[in-house]
Amino acid sequence: MHAWLCEDPTGVDALHWKELPTPEPRAGEVLLEIHAASLNFPDLLIVQNKYQMKPALPFVPGSEYAGIVGAVGEGVTHLKVGQAVACLSGTGGFATHTIAPAAMCMPLPLGFPMVDAAAFIMTYATSHHALLDRGQLKAGETVLILGAAGGVGTAAIQIAKAAGAKVIAAASSAEKCELCTRTGADATINYSIENLRDALKALTQGRGSDVIYDPVGGDLAEPAFRSIAWRGRYLVVGFAAGPIPALPFNLALLKGASVVGVFWGDFAKKEPGANAKMMQELAGWYMQGKIKPVIDRTLPMGEAKAAYAHMGSRKVMGKVVLVNR
Ligand SMILES: NC(=O)c1ccc[n+]([C@@H]2O[C@H](COP(=O)([O-])OP(=O)(O)OC[C@H]3O[C@@H](n4cnc5c(N)ncnc54)[C@H](OP(=O)(O)O)[C@@H]3O)[C@@H](O)[C@H]2O)c1
């Protein structure tokens, strides 16, 4: 097998494509032949030692991937050789093969393409958990999505539309705003040239947004929170801009509003039953055509460094997927 190996977490330049012995699955594990793996923002942070999870060295990056079961370890009964699965295990995906925990593999329904499957779990699970569970978004409500052309952002647009909400997508360029419209947004705000608060006021007749989905943080958070509706829910999803924002508490009091944390990874661990139900619903929505990952581009696995550069330069629209065949 071959894999991108991180022996020194100082950034993408220190990754090397290496030949490694193909491992055997142990009890509770499966060997997967990887067909496709997608990039998520944490993949960028993990190779720089900036992510909350710090794997033992050396490790193979690539949090999320899809492929075919090549061998099963002892005690694995729900998966068999030849089965197509998607998996999000945190590492191991940027390779030709990996060992995955069987419990974390999602069997794929027939007709679920590998590229879509590799770009599915992290973004849709995060956005479903955020909007519908943590945010209690209801049909007819308005949601503002920041960084809406990114991975979790595009998934959030589709899930909010599937839930019957009005979607205002905000992003940093006209091209990104156009993608958001094509993805289903009802209105867009280009925050590079428009004042977020004024634009939101105009689009909501002064009411503000019932739910705000924020994977960006930085300087956008406070103006966005100031524009939240009465009883609004502000979803803290991530800090792609870098700085972690701080808010004056009086703003929450004045709007009767809530700041709601979203941590899908821990939700999946602490509430596995609820997570499995949610994943089933998402797979059903995919098969019904209600949701479909927005693929920015696919690149050969050997071009992982180009994929990382694309994400690092803030240019990704939807998801970048690396493929082995
Ligand atoms: N809480 C959870 O459970 C959870 C789960 C998954 C991901 N996340 C977090 O969600 C965030 C987004 O992840 P993603 O995979 O969707 O990433 P992504 O596809 O790269 O999208 C991030 C968006 O953030 C905006 N952005 C603003 N400043 C940026 C900068 N300096 N560099 C890069 N992007 C910048 C960009 O939109 P504009 O150019 O339009 O501003 C970009 O489209 C990350 O912080 C990630 O860790 C959280």
Side-chain angles (χ1 to χ4, degrees):
M1 64 168 278
H2 280 79
W4 284 101
L5 205 62
C6 179
E7 292 163 302
D8 173 23
T10 53
V12 176
D13 286 347
L15 294 177
H16 296 287
W17 182 243
K18 292 211 166 157
E19 186 170 3
L20 301 168
T22 306
E24 298 275 329
R26 291 172 306 185
E29 295 178 338
V30 292
L31 172 71
L32 291 185
E33 192 185 294
I34 296 171
H35 285 217
S38 77
L39 239 78
N40 289 293
F41 208 77
D43 296 317
L44 193 59
L45 301 177
I46 207 166
V47 297
Q48 302 171 66
N49 208 24
K50 288 185 183 165
Y51 192 53
Q52 59 228 31
M53 182 182 97
K54 302 198 191 298
L57 296 173
F59 70 92
V60 176
S63 49
E64 179 174 22
Y65 44 88
I68 301 289
V69 176
V72 296
E74 201 189 310
V76 177
T77 51
H78 74 294
L79 298 175
K80 45 182 195 299
V81 172
Q83 191 162 5
V85 297
C87 185
L88 196 151
S89 60
T91 55
F94 298 161
T96 56
H97 298 75
T98 195
I99 293 290
M104 287 175 140
C105 291
M106 175 177 134
L108 293 174
L110 210 66
F112 206 129
M114 288 286 175
V115 167
D116 283 1
F120 192 73
I121 300 178
M122 172 82 96
T123 51
Y124 285 94
T126 299
S127 294
H128 188 297
H129 173 57
L131 292 169
L132 305 185
D133 182 356
R134 305 297 291 132
Q136 292 294 304
L137 180 67
K138 299 285 180 298
E141 287 192 317
T142 299
V143 57
L144 168 69
I145 299 169
L146 303 173
V152 296
T154 46
I157 294 175
Q158 294 177 359
I159 287 170
K161 286 310 296 175
K166 176 182 172 186
V167 174
I168 301 175
S172 66
S173 71
E175 202 189 357
K176 287 186 173 185
C177 286
E178 279 158 26
L179 175 92
C180 294
T181 304
R182 290 200 300 278
T183 306
D186 299 287
T188 60
I189 300 172
N190 175 350
Y191 43 60
S192 291
I193 55 169
E194 291 177 79
N195 178 289
L196 183 70
R197 296 203 65 200
D198 294 346
L200 195 59
K201 206 171 175 181
L203 288 168
T204 60
Q205 292 76 45
R207 272 191 74 250
S209 183
D210 300 297
V211 172
I212 298 178
Y213 179 99
D214 182 7
V216 180
D219 294 340
L220 288 173
E222 187 171 332
F225 196 87
R226 285 182 184 276
S227 300
I228 206 161
W230 174 249
R231 284 184 180 270
R233 289 86 75 200
Y234 193 100
L235 303 174
V236 181
V237 179
F239 312 103
I244 295 179
L247 279 179
F249 267 10
N250 67 314
L251 297 179
L253 180 154
L254 291 170
K255 297 289 183 73
S258 317
V259 177
V260 185
V262 175
F263 190 175
W264 170 68
D266 263 27
F267 162 71
K269 280 187 210 134
K270 291 177 198 287
E271 301 178 45
N275 184 58
K277 201 169 152 218
M278 178 183 85
M279 293 312 303
Q280 241 172 24
E281 179 168 49
L282 284 168
W285 284 0
Y286 178 88
M287 297 315 282
Q288 292 159 23
K290 285 187 183 172
I291 56 175
K292 181 166 175 62
V294 174
I295 306 298
D296 175 297
R297 65 193 62 188
T298 57
L299 290 169
M301 188 62 75
E303 290 180 29
K305 288 190 181 183
Y308 267 114
H310 192 50
M311 177 166 264
S313 62
R314 199 175 166 177
K315 293 205 183 97
V316 175
M317 296 205 292
K319 299 272 296 178
V320 175
V321 180
L322 296 165
V323 289
N324 276 318
R325 55 184 71 204

